[in-house]
Every structure is written in C-alpha cells, then in structure tokens.
Amino acid sequence: DTAVSQTPKYLVTQMGNDKSIKCEQNLGHDTMYWYKQDSKKFLKIMFSYNNKELIINETVPNRFSPKSPDKAHLNLHINSLELGDSAVYFCASSHGTGGTEAFFGQGTRLTVV
Amino acid sequence: GENVEQHPSTLSVQEGDSAVIKCTYSDSASNYFPWYKQELGKGPQLIIDIRSNVGEKKDQRIAVTLNKTAKHFSLHITETQPEDSAVYFCGSIGEYGNKLVFGAGTILRVKS
C-alpha cells in the first residue's frame, strides 16, 4: 500500500488553464503539506493543513488554492496556469504539525506550455 | 525565518569511500534535523534524523552529527555503494516548530 499517493504523476497543460492535483495518505497522520520543487531541485513548502485547518500559507500566488475535505486528503487547485508554475509538486504528511518524520508522495510533474 | 545552507552541491566518491555532507542553520531554537534521500523520479525519503538533545545518531552505514553551538550538522555515509547515488537534502524545523525548511540539496555520485 502506498503511504502518500498523488495523482496525476505527470500533467502537461496550456497556459491559462485550471488544473488540480490530488493527494491521499493512509498513514493516519494529522498534518498534510504541499511542497514545490523547482528546476534546481530546491524544495520549498507552500501550504500545510492540520485536521483540515490551514496552518501554513507561504508566499504563494492566490491562484493556488489547497482544499482538505478530510484529514486524509489534501488537493491543490491551480487557476490560470503560468509558465513559471512548471515544477514538481510534492504532497507530504506527518503526525504532528511541525513536519517531523514527514512522508512524501512520488510527486506530480507539472509542465505548462 | 529559518535558513539552511548545504554543502557541497555535488559530491563524487569512489565506491567504498566515505561521503560527508554538511549543513548549517540560522535559528538557534531549531530542534529537529532530518536528512532525506531523493532518487530520480521519486519523492524524498527520510533516511535519518536527529533531535537537538542528541549529538550523534547512527543507522548502519549512515550517521548524523549535530553541533548546536556552531549550528551545523552533517551526514556521514560510510562504505558507499552505487545505490547511494541520489540527491540528499538536509532540513531543519525552526523556532515555531511548524515548518520544515530544506537545504538546497547535494547530488551524490558513487563511481564503481
């Protein structure tokens, strides 16, 4: 069983489109995260949710909107996609709110053309 | 906020040799320091971590050391194998304990 699973694994779309990435964890963790990895491999946190409540919202354009229907799911919706949004997006989860012993999904490679 | 610097950015070693990756952090209140390994096309995987009340931790060929006074910590891999080739990230959780910040990563190549 995959602990943290993301769909889709690859996403190619045109500028201006709206897209969503889904994430599910079966570890029973309370906190879930979205990280962005750019072309230089730098990993930066975007959002975190604890029990469906937003607790971290980094300086991310408001075209990015996370949604957590329950504590096992955290989806990322992106409006009006831009070329600069091209990156790998990772979902992660952990027991506590801090990110200790965080488990990561396999990533979604988003390419905006 | 917390800032983590990681060196070197790339590291090539011969199979069987040791590899050392170093990180420094800025927040003196940081208390948790993980190391992640990321293989090509996969997500980061936690390989070892250390908390601020411990100076060293080992797990088989992997060890992490922490110097709180100097605010730096290091990953040591002994008897490197080709399958150790990957990108390694250090991390730190700072004062407010709610955000894991990563270093820029080190590409480790183990030559056989």
Side-chain angles (χ1 to χ4, degrees):
Chain A
D1 276 346
T2 304
V4 181
S5 58
Q6 297 177 227
T7 53
K9 188 170 171 66
Y10 300 98
L11 184 54
V12 181
T13 188
Q14 290 189 326
M15 276 195 305
N17 283 351
D18 303 338
K19 290 293 178 186
S20 292
I21 306 171
K22 295 185 176 183
C23 179
E24 175 182 4
Q25 55 96 2
N26 63 4
L27 297 167
H29 287 164
D30 295 321
T31 308
M32 296 183 72
Y33 312 83
W34 279 109
Y35 279 82
K36 179 180 180 180
Q37 186 170 47
D38 62 23
S39 58
K40 295 183 179 179
K41 299 288 188 185
F42 191 68
L43 269 167
K44 188 170 177 8
I45 191 166
M46 301 172 67
F47 302 102
S48 76
Y49 268 76
N50 177 258
N51 281 322
K52 302 194 296 177
E53 181 182 343
L54 180 67
I55 56 173
I56 291 177
N57 184 348
E58 290 292 285
T59 310
V60 177
N62 56 15
R63 298 182 295 103
F64 290 78
S65 53
K67 284 189 172 54
S68 181
D70 55 61
K71 74 173 193 176
H73 296 84
L74 180 62
N75 304 322
L76 183 65
H77 189 76
I78 315 170
N79 290 329
S80 304
L81 278 154
E82 300 176 358
L83 292 176
D85 297 332
S86 296
V88 182
Y89 293 84
F90 286 100
C91 177
S93 71
S94 68
H95 267 301
T97 57
T100 56
E101 299 179 29
F103 281 76
F104 282 76
Q106 82 279 18
T108 295
R109 180 173 294 277
L110 171 65
T111 304
V112 182
V113 297
Chain B
E2 174 71 299
N3 183 46
V4 180
E5 293 190 359
Q6 183 171 346
H7 300 280
S9 56
T10 59
L11 178 60
S12 289
V13 298
Q14 203 66 36
E15 182 179 358
D17 287 350
S18 295
V20 180
I21 304 170
K22 299 181 179 180
C23 287
T24 59
Y25 59 97
S26 60
D27 187 346
S28 56
S30 293
N31 55 20
Y32 176 75
F33 308 94
W35 285 92
Y36 281 81
K37 176 183 180 182
Q38 185 178 22
E39 296 174 332
L40 197 61
K42 296 186 179 180
Q45 180 184 11
L46 179 66
I47 56 171
I48 196 167
D49 56 14
I50 192 167
R51 297 180 189 269
S52 58
N53 58 347
V54 176
E56 184 176 3
K57 184 176 178 181
K58 285 185 180 179
D59 183 3
Q60 300 182 337
R61 296 185 297 108
I62 292 172
V64 56
T65 57
L66 171 65
N67 183 328
K68 284 201 69 181
T69 303
K71 291 191 283 187
H72 68 69
F73 57 111
S74 300
L75 177 71
H76 304 254
I77 306 174
T78 58
E79 300 171 21
T80 53
Q81 301 167 3
E83 50 266 38
D84 293 329
S85 295
V87 181
Y88 290 81
F89 292 94
C90 62
S92 172
I93 293 181
E95 178 181 2
Y96 297 102
N98 67 352
K99 187 166 69 173
L100 175 56
V101 176
F102 285 101
T106 296
I107 301 171
L108 174 64
R109 296 191 184 94
V110 180
K111 297 175 285 187
S112 56

